[in-house]
Amino acid sequence: MPRGRRGGRVSALEGGPEEAAAPAPAAGASQPQPPAAAAQTLLRGIFEIRRSSCDVVLSERALRWRPIVPERPAGDSKCDVQCKEEFIEVKDIFSVKLKRRYSAKQQGNGTLLGITLFICLKKEQNKLKDSTLDLINLSEDHCDVWFKQFKKILAGFSNRPKSLKVILNPQSHKKEATQIYHEKVEPLLRVAGIKTDVTITEYEGHALALLKECELQEFDGVVCVGGDGSASEVAHALLLRAQKNAGNETESILTPVRAQLPLGLIPAGSTNVLAHSLHGIPHVVTATLHIIMGHVQPVDVCTFSTTGKLLRFGFSAMFGFGGRTLALAEKHRWMSPNQRRDFAVMKALAKLKPEDCEISFLPFISSHDLEEREAEGSPKSDCNDQWQTIQGQFLNVSIMAIPCLCSVAPRGLAPNTRLNNGSMALIIARNTSRPEFIKHLKRYAGVKNQFNFPFVETYTVGEVKVRPRNNSGYSLEEDGLHAAASENSFPWNVDGDLMEAKSEVQVKLHPRLINLYGGSMEEMNDSQGTCNCL
């Protein structure tokens, strides 16, 4: 990876397909393989790049440059190194600016030095990094032609947002969300020329109330700066807004419509499960660059309903131990996030008890399996409606439509689940001894199979119903605290938010219901924007 001599920032990628208009490399120089069809050359000129005069070629797909050096004898190794062609792909450029030098006594626009390109670079472990490349040329006319061509190319990436509604939760984690946004996110959005309208939430449910009435036509997307609770609330609000706009009854939704705007997630919480699962890493700059570049990933969403009434939209849920732990943590908001979490886990383990439940689920059948069954003559209704029911004492029930990656579970709470494979993971921990259950929890932090226990069962499902058979509900007084949840209700942990339900909860998966900015490197490569202006 080449590095500029000034600033020490990575400014380009080495290698790549040959440009038809580029000069041939010196004999013996290693050269990349040419593409099947050479891209059309748009501009060619001379710029100084990293203190070397370079022959620069801009095509529809790439910017390439090669140092201009005197002819040397064939096989000269020093010449081979100096003549090596470098390139960046056009789709990795997210902004272009004229580079000028200003002095205190100088009037006007300053002295033109050239052009600066702002680039998104792919690094290791799904990480993205912003970088710059300076093209130095003192000619106003020369730079103006190139600057306008770069601007025209960037205007052709229609999937990239130009205006965003930003919702910031200042209370997330250690109240760092505001600092994270102003120091790391806002500068990049400004460089990319993206207009923003920022709302700082003042109370729980503020984002929901705001997005219910806010005019969103002028925005290309919504960005949430906060933790899992904030992100889930904004996603829920966007989906409710979509149902309202489509004329759907929001009390009972059988077939919800997709959210109309993509959602960007800037990780600023204590666990950042949603952002971690989406990007493969809880990295603020990576999340911001995904938004700027317009990388969009469709994601599956669940509806949570009881007695036919919609409770909320969400991505994952835990009932039993997971719900009890969150209920305890919510009563200790005065503690720091890590202290609150550790206290709640220890308290819930000390008072570990199972829930007497009946769990019904509809196994997931892939389209391939469905076609095979239909080919064998099985009625379509038999293929789709084979509900299964299990009863017993369960310590924890997890229902997850996303992998749920986080620092305490680097492989994910549901490692075999993907963002949009049309199914959920149902993970059931039956009643067992406290030491065995703790062993199961500790396995999430390692590389061993956390499900390899006789009391743990896993299923791939499309729909789940959880019906507690104990009608007395759950009280925090059982855990030694003098505060109770709602009468006869059971706590659920839905994306880090506490949800209370008094009876059976039905969880149904809806494929690709919302678009999120981001994705793993493989997913990102499949969803790269294309330039259509040329």
Side-chain angles (χ1 to χ4, degrees):
M1 194 77 71
R3 293 184 178 270
R5 296 185 185 180
R6 298 177 183 174
R9 305 189 75 187
V10 177
S11 57
L13 301 174
E14 292 187 1
E18 280 289 320
E19 189 68 50
S30 60
Q31 65 180 49
Q33 294 300 314
Q40 178 185 353
T41 297
L42 302 175
L43 291 172
R44 185 170 185 173
I46 295 176
F47 287 92
E48 180 184 318
I49 300 178
R50 296 193 294 278
R51 297 185 180 181
S52 295
S53 293
C54 296
D55 180 15
V56 183
V57 178
L58 175 64
S59 72
E60 296 171 323
R61 290 181 290 187
L63 177 75
R64 303 176 184 279
W65 64 94
R66 185 191 301 273
I68 301 173
V69 295
E71 290 188 5
R72 293 176 180 269
D76 189 322
S77 59
K78 184 176 181 181
C79 179
D80 293 346
V81 174
Q82 290 179 335
C83 291
K84 187 171 186 180
E85 183 184 75
E86 301 175 47
F87 81 98
I88 55 173
E89 294 184 78
V90 167
K91 64 181 175 60
D92 292 332
I93 302 172
F94 65 86
S95 186
V96 57
K97 306 286 184 184
L98 290 174
K99 183 179 179 68
R100 296 182 182 274
R101 178 191 294 127
Y102 297 89
S103 63
K105 298 180 180 179
Q106 192 171 12
Q107 301 294 324
N109 294 326
T111 303
L112 178 70
L113 299 179
I115 297 171
T116 297
L117 301 178
F118 296 84
I119 309 161
C120 173
L121 295 180
K122 306 175 186 68
K123 305 294 286 183
E124 69 286 348
Q125 298 178 339
N126 294 322
K127 186 178 291 186
L128 301 182
K129 178 184 178 182
D130 63 298
S131 184
T132 59
L133 178 68
D134 291 333
L135 308 179
I136 304 300
N137 189 304
L138 304 184
S139 169
E140 290 272 2
D141 293 339
H142 187 67
C143 288
D144 184 62
V145 171
W146 281 73
F147 178 76
K148 288 180 178 178
Q149 186 64 63
F150 279 120
K151 295 291 284 187
K152 183 180 179 182
I153 290 173
L154 293 179
F157 293 105
S158 58
N159 61 313
R160 297 183 181 180
K162 298 175 178 61
S163 180
L164 295 169
K165 178 64 183 177
V166 179
I167 297 176
L168 190 154
N169 180 4
Q171 301 300 318
S172 289
H173 193 34
K174 299 177 182 178
K175 301 183 178 181
E176 296 173 344
T178 303
Q179 180 181 357
I180 287 172
Y181 176 75
H182 289 300
E183 292 185 1
K184 296 184 179 182
V185 180
E186 186 181 38
L188 283 173
L189 297 180
R190 191 187 310 118
V191 166
I194 298 175
K195 297 179 181 178
T196 57
D197 181 72
V198 182
T199 296
I200 298 176
T201 58
E202 299 174 359
Y203 54 88
E204 185 177 352
H206 188 179
L208 180 61
L210 174 73
L211 292 175
K212 185 178 180 180
E213 304 296 338
C214 178
E215 293 294 332
L216 297 175
Q217 292 88 341
E218 61 184 286
F219 301 110
D220 301 312
V222 176
V223 173
C224 175
V225 185
D228 290 319
S230 302
S232 181
E233 180 182 337
V234 174
H236 173 63
L238 286 174
L239 286 164
L240 279 183
R241 176 68 176 266
Q243 312 319 307
K244 178 183 176 182
N245 292 347
N248 290 347
E249 174 59 50
T250 56
E251 289 291 312
S252 178
I253 302 174
L254 297 177
T255 308
V257 299
R258 296 183 66 182
Q260 295 162 326
L261 292 178
L263 171 62
L265 306 177
I266 303 297
S270 54
T271 54
N272 302 307
V273 168
L274 291 176
H276 199 153
S277 298
L278 177 64
H279 308 305
I281 183 172
H283 187 246
V284 171
V285 172
T286 295
T288 305
L289 287 172
H290 276 304
I291 295 169
I292 290 172
M293 304 301 288
H295 301 152
V296 173
Q297 180 71 19
V299 177
D300 298 341
V301 181
C302 306
T303 49
F304 296 84
S305 308
T306 183
T307 61
K309 181 180 179 181
L310 176 71
L311 295 174
R312 64 174 295 155
F313 292 94
F315 301 94
S316 65
M318 288 187 285
F319 175 78
F321 176 79
R324 287 171 176 263
T325 300
L326 181 60
L328 283 165
E330 287 299 304
K331 295 299 179 181
H332 294 79
R333 299 292 297 184
W334 53 271
M335 292 184 177
S336 70
N338 291 338
Q339 288 178 331
R340 185 167 66 241
R341 181 192 64 200
D342 294 344
F343 169 81
V345 169
M346 297 299 295
K347 195 74 174 179
L349 284 173
K351 297 287 185 177
L352 187 64
K353 58 173 288 188
E355 295 286 359
D356 186 10
C357 294
E358 177 182 282
I359 302 174
S360 303
F361 60 91
L362 190 62
F364 171 70
I365 302 175
S366 67
S367 57
H368 179 264
D369 292 338
L370 187 60
E371 290 174 0
E372 285 189 349
R373 294 191 184 190
E374 290 178 349
E376 294 171 358
S378 300
K380 189 173 182 179
S381 59
D382 290 347
C383 296
N384 286 328
D385 300 325
Q386 296 178 346
W387 282 87
Q388 298 182 20
T389 301
I390 55 177
Q391 299 178 350
Q393 302 280 325
F394 304 106
L395 290 176
N396 191 68
V397 179
S398 297
I399 306 166
M400 298 176 173
I402 60 175
C404 293
L405 303 175
C406 59
S407 58
V408 297
R411 295 180 61 246
L413 300 176
N416 297 323
T417 303
R418 296 296 177 263
L419 295 173
N420 53 24
N421 60 354
S423 66
M424 302 181 291
L426 171 62
I427 304 165
I428 298 170
R430 291 183 179 269
N431 193 21
T432 188
S433 66
R434 185 181 292 106
E436 285 298 300
F437 185 67
I438 292 174
K439 285 182 184 179
H440 163 59
L441 296 181
K442 285 183 175 181
R443 283 274 184 94
Y444 281 100
V447 296
K448 293 184 178 179
N449 186 353
Q450 61 264 44
F451 309 131
N452 190 23
F453 291 91
F455 56 89
V456 177
E457 301 172 16
T458 62
Y459 304 90
T460 304
V461 301
E463 194 169 347
V464 182
K465 298 176 183 177
V466 179
R467 183 175 69 85
R469 295 193 291 183
N470 176 12
N471 295 325
S472 62
Y474 165 67
S475 171
L476 290 175
E477 292 179 354
E478 298 174 14
D479 293 320
L481 300 175
H482 301 289
S486 300
E487 185 179 359
N488 296 330
S489 67
F490 294 87
W492 284 72
N493 181 339
V494 179
D495 298 332
D497 270 353
L498 183 63
M499 181 186 81
E500 295 177 350
K502 295 183 178 181
S503 57
E504 176 183 273
V505 172
Q506 180 177 3
V507 186
K508 185 175 182 179
L509 185 94
H510 303 276
R512 298 170 176 257
L513 201 58
I514 191 170
N515 283 333
L516 301 182
Y517 285 114
S520 68
M521 296 309 293
E522 294 78 11
E523 293 161 341
M524 186 186 70
N525 290 335
D526 292 339
S527 63
Q528 287 276 12
T530 56
C531 181
N532 54 25
C533 69
L534 303 171

